[in-house]
Amino acid sequence: MGDRLRLADVEHMPTDELVQMITESFDNLVTVAIAEATNGYIPQRTRRLLRKAEWRLDWQDALLCACGELQVAVERMRYGRDPRLDPTERRLRRVRNRAHEAGVLAKKLRSNDFNNSTERKSGTNSHLTALGWLRSAFPGEYAECLRQERAHRNLGEEAEKPSFRNVHEQIEFACERGRLTAPRTPEVDMLVAADDAVVRLATAVDAKDQEERNSALRHPLMLGRWENALRELGEKTAKRARAETPHGLGTLPDDFYALPADEAIAVLNSRRFLAAIQQRRLEYKRCVRQITQALRKQEREDPHVIALAETKAAAGQLLAERYPSEYAYVRAVLRPHEERNGYLPKSLVTSPQRSEIKRRILQALTDGTWMRPEGHAHK
């Protein structure tokens, strides 16, 4: 583990050295995040570093941790009438502003991933959208086209894709099939076999020491139990921390500042722990998101999956050739919504309006009203 970084050192540190220090230590990353938020003399190259895609989510993690620590410090100082209260409050406000910015940038990163996904690109393509809706309108005929294409390409019957109750079942299935190959250390095996009380204790110890990370909790097979333990700890701690919800510290009630010292310290310690739990919950979500993204990428690159996708595309095209007038009708309804020829706006992909357009098209294809002039009218 590298040396502990001080706030005053950050503005003088070469960026290459900072990268090494924040890679080795989460505490150092928190220090850099606080310094960047509160020190106007931090070099621009350091500011740009934190906002790069590869550091953006870690930066958000560090700022969330810093917000919790600083808020509890402010509350402790206010209770004890500490003269450092005012500058600490100013520091907290600036760190919160940065945390908001980091949250916006993290959301943008997720949005970019989604916008570049195959699903989103298919949703903006009028031709692919029309083919998809035609399959929904004529499922039996599409199944026949698919059988023809599979026979033509010498593909066997497609195994039924398993359904999962939640993402953790999907991850467990991927581990069983060897699609995820995270090592099973003795620590992982111990936690997998342990009862919930042991997992909660390991989760609590992990949260209390922000610098350390229990890698066994972050194993794919443990993510579901880690989430449960975090949720249970948050719910149990919120009342002791005088918080209205496990998901945020909120503001302490006025009567807190009249409590005896030992009671006040217990509340503040609970709030510090609750803030750490909230940071770990954000980290848990990151772990799940990274795994599911990796699984989607792996599936897209699987030769069998690629062959099946090509077969389904060919079957969809064959269906359009069987029903050229119906396909033309769907395209005609979509055309006024296109932002340019053949492409729908991204805003329409997840809009309720898209569902309504699809519902009206399928209804018209089902009851035959699409053949009448009014079937082509748009409400």
Side-chain angles (χ1 to χ4, degrees):
M1 191 67 65
D3 296 333
R4 183 71 176 265
L5 189 63
R6 298 181 306 170
L7 280 171
D9 296 332
V10 176
E11 67 177 275
H12 307 293
M13 292 283 294
T15 304
D16 290 345
E17 291 184 32
L18 275 181
V19 169
Q20 181 177 351
M21 296 188 77
I22 65 179
T23 300
E24 293 176 348
S25 166
F26 183 74
D27 280 348
N28 284 343
L29 177 59
V30 173
T31 300
V32 173
I34 294 174
E36 192 277 333
T38 59
N39 186 341
Y41 298 101
I42 298 298
Q44 286 299 317
R45 59 183 179 274
T46 299
R47 299 186 192 278
R48 289 194 296 268
L49 167 70
L50 295 173
R51 290 161 175 78
K52 286 184 177 179
E54 60 266 34
W55 279 105
R56 197 174 291 176
L57 299 178
D58 293 303
W59 179 45
Q60 184 190 25
D61 264 1
L63 286 166
L64 181 62
C65 177
C67 283
E69 293 283 348
L70 285 169
Q71 179 171 342
V72 176
V74 164
E75 292 164 348
R76 193 183 302 273
M77 290 175 185
R78 184 175 291 119
Y79 177 85
R81 294 181 173 84
D82 193 308
R84 296 171 296 174
L85 174 61
D86 287 345
T88 307
E89 281 189 316
R90 287 194 294 271
R91 178 175 290 175
L92 173 58
R93 284 195 295 270
R94 290 172 181 170
V95 171
R96 279 176 171 167
N97 288 337
R98 278 293 190 271
H100 175 72
E101 178 189 348
V104 170
L105 290 176
K107 186 176 180 180
K108 183 177 180 181
L109 192 65
R110 293 193 295 271
S111 178
N112 288 342
D113 288 339
F114 176 59
N115 288 335
N116 292 326
S117 67
T118 303
E119 298 83 0
R120 185 62 177 258
K121 289 179 178 177
S122 297
T124 58
N125 185 301
S126 292
H127 170 64
L128 295 178
T129 297
L131 289 180
W133 293 357
L134 207 62
R135 292 196 298 269
S136 298
F138 303 103
E141 292 83 348
Y142 171 68
E144 177 58 31
C145 291
L146 190 57
R147 281 193 293 271
Q148 289 183 28
E149 284 298 322
R150 293 180 71 87
H152 177 68
R153 295 164 186 257
N154 295 317
L155 287 175
E157 286 299 316
E158 183 178 0
E160 185 176 350
K161 193 171 183 179
S163 58
F164 305 106
R165 289 180 298 176
N166 54 52
V167 68
H168 301 299
E169 284 193 355
Q170 179 187 1
I171 290 173
E172 184 176 349
F173 179 80
C175 288
E176 292 172 353
R177 295 299 179 92
R179 293 177 58 199
L180 287 176
T181 55
R184 287 284 295 265
T185 63
E187 292 77 15
V188 172
D189 289 334
M190 185 275 292
L191 278 182
V192 168
D195 61 28
D196 291 344
V198 173
V199 176
R200 274 197 305 273
L201 178 60
T203 300
V205 171
D206 176 84
K208 286 176 181 176
D209 189 349
Q210 288 286 319
E211 174 67 358
E212 297 299 327
R213 294 292 191 277
N214 184 339
S215 58
L217 286 171
R218 291 153 177 81
H219 189 278
L221 291 176
M222 282 302 302
L223 289 176
R225 299 188 68 192
W226 186 31
E227 180 196 21
N228 288 338
L230 287 169
R231 184 180 63 254
E232 291 168 3
L233 287 169
E235 291 170 351
K236 291 179 179 179
T237 306
K239 186 175 181 180
R240 297 196 301 269
R242 301 288 185 95
E244 293 183 3
T245 168
H247 308 296
L249 293 181
T251 303
L252 277 168
D254 292 338
D255 63 358
F256 164 79
Y257 296 98
L259 291 176
D262 56 345
E263 291 183 35
I265 290 172
V267 171
L268 291 169
N269 287 341
S270 293
R271 289 174 73 77
R272 190 168 184 263
F273 181 60
L274 183 59
I277 290 294
Q278 291 161 3
Q279 185 276 327
R280 288 301 199 244
R281 292 190 75 163
L282 179 67
E283 189 175 342
Y284 151 78
K285 291 177 183 178
R286 282 185 54 195
C287 289
V288 171
R289 190 179 302 116
Q290 287 167 353
I291 288 175
T292 53
Q293 286 175 342
L295 289 176
R296 284 198 296 270
K297 183 174 185 293
Q298 189 182 91
E299 184 171 323
R300 287 196 301 269
E301 295 173 353
D302 184 287
H304 183 65
V305 172
I306 292 173
L308 287 175
E310 291 173 347
T311 302
K312 290 176 180 178
Q317 189 60 44
L318 185 60
L319 183 68
E321 292 170 1
R322 287 190 181 184
Y323 295 94
S325 299
E326 289 84 344
Y327 169 77
Y329 161 71
V330 179
R331 287 299 305 272
V333 175
L334 287 173
R335 194 161 293 118
H337 301 279
E338 294 177 351
E339 61 180 4
R340 56 191 174 90
N341 187 32
Y343 289 91
L344 299 163
K346 292 178 180 178
S347 59
L348 188 65
V349 175
T350 55
S351 167
Q353 183 186 11
R354 181 186 177 94
S355 299
E356 176 59 20
I357 295 169
K358 180 180 180 180
R359 186 195 66 76
R360 289 193 287 110
I361 285 176
L362 294 183
Q363 182 62 42
L365 289 172
T366 299
D367 59 26
T369 56
W370 70 273
M371 293 182 287
R372 300 199 296 266
E374 61 268 23
H376 291 267
H378 311 298
K379 298 180 181 179

